[in-house]
Amino acid sequence: QFRQSFRAGGAMPELPEVEVTRRGIAPALTGHAVAGVIARVPALRYPLPPDLGALLAGRRLTSVARRGKYLLLDFGDGRLLIHLGMSGSLRLVTADAPAAKHDHLDLLFDQGDRPLILRLRDPRRFGAVLWLEGNAEAHPLLKVLGIEPLTEEFDAVWLKRELTGLKAAIKPTLMDSHRVVGIGNIYASESLFRAGIDPRRAAGGVSLKRLEELVPAIK
């Protein structure tokens, strides 16, 4: 039986886990159309779109993107936003794979003689599945997000400018998703340790030289 999971169990999904999920989903499903939807619960953190089956039927997935910890499945004139919450994961399974207790949503993709299901498992039901039309970046969940740390734009010069004048400690400042997305507690701690920066130090007082060490440590 073909079964593939894109998240290690245990910890809350962070940006790296979500990015690994994106990279696993994209090549397997991009270009294929949705043949069916099975929703086994009416809501996760928010209500599921009640007409999701009719909405997605026949739509072809054009790309899979990530913004912060959110996955964005692009279907041309709309995007399906998925957040894994505290305990969620996405798996690719064959169409005959039985659903387990916490498998709340299936998206069946038509792939000829070997259709695949994108299956959302979320024991604590803190995740989210929303349908977005128009400019997705303007959605309230996305428009408040800061810069992506894995981009070229996130460099020491940008970070120095962003931190200038801040008296708050550097560690919680890095964890502020309104400034930089996806730097959770463990990543902030490890990155600061590698760069030789005291996590209690005022963010505005960190030198450009130290930030030049911090940025690659974060990445």
Side-chain angles (χ1 to χ4, degrees):
Q1 182 187 62
F2 176 73
R3 186 177 181 86
Q4 195 168 1
S5 175
F6 297 113
R7 186 178 78 81
M12 172 182 176
E14 298 285 356
L15 186 150
E17 288 81 26
V18 178
E19 177 63 16
V20 168
T21 299
R22 186 195 70 78
R23 296 183 188 188
I25 291 172
L29 300 180
T30 299
H32 297 282
V34 176
V37 176
I38 299 176
R40 300 182 180 88
V41 294
L44 298 172
R45 180 179 290 269
Y46 311 109
L48 296 178
D51 56 346
L52 189 59
L55 198 61
L56 291 180
R59 289 181 185 262
R60 197 169 298 276
L61 181 65
T62 61
S63 67
V64 182
R66 179 191 54 74
R67 184 70 175 99
K69 298 181 185 179
Y70 296 95
L71 288 169
L72 292 165
L73 279 61
D74 193 341
F75 289 95
D77 53 354
R79 293 175 176 84
L80 193 67
L81 178 148
I82 299 177
H83 191 276
L84 299 178
M86 295 289 292
S87 60
S89 62
L90 287 169
R91 292 170 170 81
L92 290 176
V93 299
T94 54
D96 58 352
K101 179 180 179 180
H102 300 296
D103 293 341
H104 299 314
L105 180 68
D106 285 356
L107 302 182
L108 177 64
F109 283 82
D110 184 4
Q111 295 185 315
D113 59 352
R114 196 184 187 189
L116 284 178
I117 289 175
L118 180 63
R119 176 165 287 169
L120 173 63
R121 175 174 294 174
D122 187 3
R124 299 183 69 178
R125 292 173 63 172
F126 284 166
V129 176
L130 301 172
W131 178 252
L132 310 182
E133 294 181 342
N135 180 12
E137 289 289 336
H139 189 276
L141 291 174
L142 302 180
K143 69 179 182 179
V144 297
L145 297 179
I147 194 171
E148 291 280 344
L150 301 181
T151 60
E152 291 184 2
E153 289 76 16
F154 180 71
D155 58 18
V157 173
W158 180 92
L159 190 56
K160 181 63 176 176
R161 185 169 60 247
E162 183 71 13
L163 300 181
T164 297
L166 293 182
K167 296 181 180 180
I170 182 65
K171 181 180 175 181
T173 301
L174 289 177
M175 294 172 60
D176 181 0
S177 64
H178 296 89
R179 299 184 187 276
V180 186
V181 297
I183 305 179
N185 180 59
I186 189 170
Y187 299 110
S189 295
E190 293 292 336
S191 301
L192 289 166
F193 178 80
R194 289 188 181 192
I197 301 171
D198 187 326
R200 299 164 296 184
R201 185 170 185 179
V206 181
S207 69
L208 180 61
K209 182 179 179 180
R210 285 294 186 187
L211 295 179
E212 288 173 345
E213 297 180 25
L214 178 61
V215 167
I218 290 171
K219 291 178 185 287

